[in-house]
């Protein structure tokens, strides 16, 4: 596996730095676009990495997978009363999409969908951001996983679009908690900083049929299948079709430049490089996952 990762790194070298670093959250704009890291955590408990795989970065929308898993674990199929599971045709922060969908966010990985998830997690736990932090620490085995407060306050100072989405969701009666509280917890989830190594370990339950780090079921097999399927269809936003074609794995991206991809029953791969394409997906990250699945033959297809 070390050799595979070295091959992938060499293959994507010319693409590292391509794309645009997210700047609508000012604290993210200062990240060096030349960073690249990739880690593989296997279901047998091994971890491999290359490049900056131990460097923490802002998880951003990667948080949406874990938060959604926490609500799915409690609510089961009832989650679908407040959310859809169809691919989106508009950007991840689109108000138009939400209005067309009458306040039922089209999927859990759009910002509006994640606001609904955060709202539910807040009702269930009283501390959605804290519950997510605890979950990520436990599953990664890294007790120092935490929110980067500078990133959180930078996003909160520019939260207008998410505030508009949250208010629009609330206007359709699909939010139980106060908009300000939901936004605060949502932003603190997105601003959690973690490395590729820790994220791959934390997401390993998705490759293990729902079994967590301590061997207990976080999700049952059926729910895990459905979460992976939802990632395949919706996790890369407008780039989901192209990503399925090139990579062929369930995955989720974040504007920090991270992508988590699941190879069921084998491993989880996490890759990080901050330059983004027009859909908000890491350019070098997608290329690295394409090289990884081409070299290994590991895909769901
Ligand atoms: O709410 C936002 O816009 C960011 N905190 C997260 C967006 C994101 O990561 C979308 N993924 N590519």
């Amino acid at each position: 596996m070390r050799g595979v990762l070295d091959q992938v790194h060499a293959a994507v070298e010319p693409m590292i730095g391509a794309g645009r670093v997210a700047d609508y959250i000012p604290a993210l704009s200062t990240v060096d676009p030349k960073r690249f890291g990739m880690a593989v955590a296997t279901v047998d408990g091994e971890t491999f990495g290359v490049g900056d795989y131990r460097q923490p970065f802002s998880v951003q929308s990667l948080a949406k997978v874990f938060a959604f898993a926490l609500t799915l674990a409690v609510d089961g199929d009832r989650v679908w009363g407040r959310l859809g599971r169809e691919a989106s045709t508009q950007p991840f922060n689109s108000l138009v999409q939400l209005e067309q969908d009458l306040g039922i966010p089209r999927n859990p990985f759009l910002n509006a969908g994640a606001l609904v998830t955060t709202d539910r997690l807040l009702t269930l736990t009283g501390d959605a951001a804290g519950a997510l932090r605890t979950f990520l620490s436990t599953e990664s085995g890294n007790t120092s996983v935490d929110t980067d407060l500078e990133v959180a306050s930078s996003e909160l100072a520019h939260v207008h679009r998410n505030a508009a989405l949250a208010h629009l969701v609330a206007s359709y009666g699909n939010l139980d908690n106060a908009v300000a509280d939901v936004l605060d917890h949502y932003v603190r989830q997105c601003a959690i900083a973690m490395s590729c190594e820790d994220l791959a370990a934390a997401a390993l339950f998705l490759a293990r049929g729902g079994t967590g780090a301590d061997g207990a079921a976080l999700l049952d097999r059926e729910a895990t299948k459905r979460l992976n399927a939802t990632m395949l269809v919706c996790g890369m936003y407008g780039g989901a079709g192209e990503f399925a074609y090139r990579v062929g794995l369930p995955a989720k991206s974040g504007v920090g430049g991270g992508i988590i991809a699941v190879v069921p029953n084998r491993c989880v791969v996490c890759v990080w490089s901050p330059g983004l394409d027009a859909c908000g997906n890491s350019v070098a990250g997608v290329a690295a996952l394409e090289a990884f699945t081409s070299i290994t033959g590991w895909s769901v297809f």
Side-chain angles (χ1 to χ4, degrees):
M1 184 51 70
R2 265 233 61 87
V4 169
L5 290 182
D6 288 340
Q7 256 179 286
V8 169
H9 194 186
V12 302
E13 188 72 57
M15 265 159 284
I16 298 172
R20 287 194 53 192
V21 175
D23 58 7
Y24 71 99
I25 300 168
L28 295 183
S29 69
T30 57
V31 179
D32 177 2
K34 290 282 189 189
R35 306 307 290 267
F36 175 85
M38 186 164 181
V40 176
T42 73
V43 293
D44 306 327
E46 288 187 295
T47 307
F48 304 89
V50 71
D52 301 314
Y53 75 105
R54 289 201 154 129
Q55 171 69 40
F57 62 91
S58 195
V59 303
Q60 295 300 319
S61 285
L62 303 180
K64 294 171 180 174
V65 174
F66 301 101
F68 186 63
L70 286 176
T71 61
L72 194 58
V74 177
D75 287 344
D77 280 347
R78 287 190 304 266
V79 294
W80 302 118
R82 297 177 60 184
L83 286 166
R85 48 178 184 261
E86 291 296 346
S88 52
T89 52
Q90 299 290 330
F92 59 78
N93 55 6
S94 169
L95 286 151
V96 169
Q97 184 83 74
L98 181 61
E99 184 147 43
Q100 276 172 355
D101 295 336
L102 304 178
I104 306 287
R106 179 165 281 229
N107 68 61
F109 304 136
L110 296 169
N111 287 8
L115 289 163
V116 168
T117 298
T118 302
D119 177 58
R120 182 62 186 146
L121 199 54
L122 189 52
T123 300
L124 289 171
T125 64
D127 180 4
L132 190 69
R133 243 186 358 255
T134 303
F135 178 85
L136 292 169
S137 289
T138 307
E139 291 305 307
S140 67
N142 182 350
T143 50
S144 63
V145 164
D146 209 351
T147 295
D148 180 330
L149 294 176
E150 193 196 325
V151 173
S153 60
S154 176
E155 180 163 358
L156 263 185
H158 296 82
V159 82
H160 308 298
R161 183 167 278 268
N162 283 329
L165 287 167
H167 280 290
L168 196 52
V169 170
S171 79
Y172 284 99
N174 197 8
L175 220 57
D176 295 329
N177 296 279
V179 164
D181 293 340
V182 173
L183 287 171
D184 178 53
H185 282 269
Y186 169 79
V187 164
R188 283 192 283 134
Q189 289 171 351
C190 291
I192 289 172
M194 283 176 80
S195 65
C196 290
E197 181 178 42
D198 289 343
L199 280 161
L204 208 44
F205 70 100
L206 293 168
R208 279 192 304 230
T211 303
D214 66 355
L218 292 169
L219 289 178
D220 63 33
R221 199 162 265 285
E222 189 77 352
T224 309
K225 178 184 85 174
R226 301 207 186 288
L227 178 46
N228 279 323
T230 309
M231 287 168 71
L232 183 78
V233 174
C234 313
M236 304 297 284
Y237 307 110
E242 180 70 9
F243 185 86
Y245 177 82
R246 289 174 59 189
V247 178
L249 291 174
K252 179 77 211 81
S253 62
V255 292
I259 305 175
I260 291 170
V262 182
V263 188
N265 305 313
R266 275 193 198 275
C267 65
V268 170
V269 186
C270 181
V271 60
W272 170 56
S273 198
L276 307 177
D277 65 19
C279 296
N281 302 326
S282 167
V283 175
V286 172
L289 289 164
E290 181 177 20
F292 179 82
T293 53
S294 296
I295 293 166
T296 58
W298 292 358
S299 99
V300 297
F301 300 110

